[in-house]
Amino acid sequence: MEPTARALARTYSDRVYPDPWAKVEDYRRVRAYAAEHPTAGRTAVGNALELPPSRVRGWLDGGRPDPVRGIEVASANGWLDPDCEMAGALVGLLAHVLAGGSINDMFVPAISTGRRIDREAIEAAFAAVGVDSQSRHADSDGRTTELYPAADASVLGRCLVAMGAPQGVKTDLDAVPAIVWESPEPIRRRFAECYVAHRGIHFETKATTRIQEERPASYLTDLHELIDECVTGTVSRGPRGLTISADAARELGLS
């Protein structure tokens, strides 16, 4: 199940390796060869593995490529090939990011509070994947409070990108990430509940809610199917968004 080490490695860029996963594999080959041949120097190791000795030297001296460091951090946190509980928590965090957050150019995820999603809910979402969170703009009258990880932020963000979250602008996303569809029904329902809580427009005079998205039609089709399967009430789709009936909204926990 996503994220995997391979998918995480490929969120990195490299000037030498078109595929950063190949760099991880070369690093592992070097370390394995050196363990079996402890007296071999960089030239011998490089010749044996057909790698430049200058590249091998750094790895023999304790240096690690960035993707390797990221994999180690993600593995230590339980984010790679996650068990069922962690997978559900990661999909829950993905819902918060897609509906009410973003991942910046440094791969740091941030989630905004809203009318139905308070600070405690976002803190709980980060805590479920094992990280504390901190806030910014909490005292600003003109900006929404955002929460982001207090540690391992960029690696967590890369894991979310490996799961299908967009880095930067979200409007080009053309489908609900595959991992959501692959998740068990209770996790898909929690995803839908979180998404609607973030994005559903509150109306003072009626209990229906509406989600408006500046995204491709294929994304709206996916989102409609996902929410509709979670409720018995009516969910309808228009050209720019979804309308969720009062009964469906109540099923999703909205009041």
Side-chain angles (χ1 to χ4, degrees):
M1 180 175 284
E2 295 284 358
T4 63
R6 187 192 301 264
L8 175 59
R10 286 175 173 163
T11 66
Y12 291 83
S13 58
D14 192 273
R15 290 175 294 179
V16 175
Y17 287 82
D19 181 358
W21 175 246
K23 190 171 191 175
V24 174
E25 293 182 309
D26 279 352
Y27 170 83
R28 290 175 173 175
R29 289 197 303 132
V30 166
R31 299 301 304 176
Y33 187 91
E36 293 179 2
H37 304 84
T39 62
R42 59 175 179 166
T43 300
V45 175
N47 289 341
L49 300 178
E50 299 182 339
L51 294 171
S54 59
R55 188 179 309 163
V56 169
R57 178 183 180 180
W59 296 347
L60 292 177
D61 290 342
R64 290 170 296 167
D66 288 340
V68 171
R69 294 177 188 273
I71 288 169
E72 291 174 352
V73 170
S75 181
N77 281 290
W79 300 332
L80 293 186
D81 298 307
D83 60 24
C84 292
E85 183 177 357
M86 180 59 77
L90 286 168
V91 172
L93 189 61
L94 179 65
H96 280 285
V97 169
L98 292 182
S102 62
I103 299 175
N104 69 13
D105 58 357
M106 299 299 290
F107 286 90
V108 175
I111 302 167
S112 299
T113 58
R115 185 181 184 277
R116 298 187 181 100
I117 298 291
D118 59 17
R119 176 173 181 150
E120 288 71 23
I122 299 171
E123 288 176 337
F126 280 122
V129 300
V131 297
D132 292 330
S133 54
Q134 52 193 353
S135 65
R136 59 189 174 213
H137 314 315
D139 299 322
S140 173
D141 292 333
R143 304 188 69 174
T144 302
T145 299
E146 292 182 325
L147 281 83
Y148 59 99
D152 300 331
S154 65
V155 176
L156 178 56
R158 288 178 185 276
C159 286
L160 293 168
V161 169
M163 293 166 61
Q167 181 191 15
V169 177
K170 296 187 294 185
T171 53
D172 293 335
L173 188 65
D174 60 4
V176 171
I179 192 171
V180 179
W181 297 110
E182 295 165 2
S183 298
E185 187 277 333
I187 294 176
R188 296 199 305 275
R189 183 181 179 88
R190 289 200 298 272
F191 182 100
E193 289 171 347
C194 178
Y195 201 102
V196 174
H198 269 290
R199 300 292 298 169
I201 299 171
H202 173 71
F203 298 108
E204 292 290 346
T205 58
K206 54 185 178 180
T208 58
T209 189
R210 180 167 173 78
I211 295 175
Q212 294 184 186
E213 299 276 10
E214 293 292 338
R215 296 191 183 181
S218 56
Y219 182 87
L220 288 175
T221 298
D222 255 14
L223 187 61
H224 177 223
E225 181 179 345
L226 178 69
I227 297 173
D228 190 53
E229 75 164 18
C230 295
V231 296
T232 57
T234 302
V235 180
S236 59
R237 181 191 156 211
R240 294 186 59 187
L242 310 179
T243 299
I244 300 169
S245 67
D247 287 340
R250 281 190 286 268
E251 288 181 74
L252 294 169
L254 303 189
S255 57

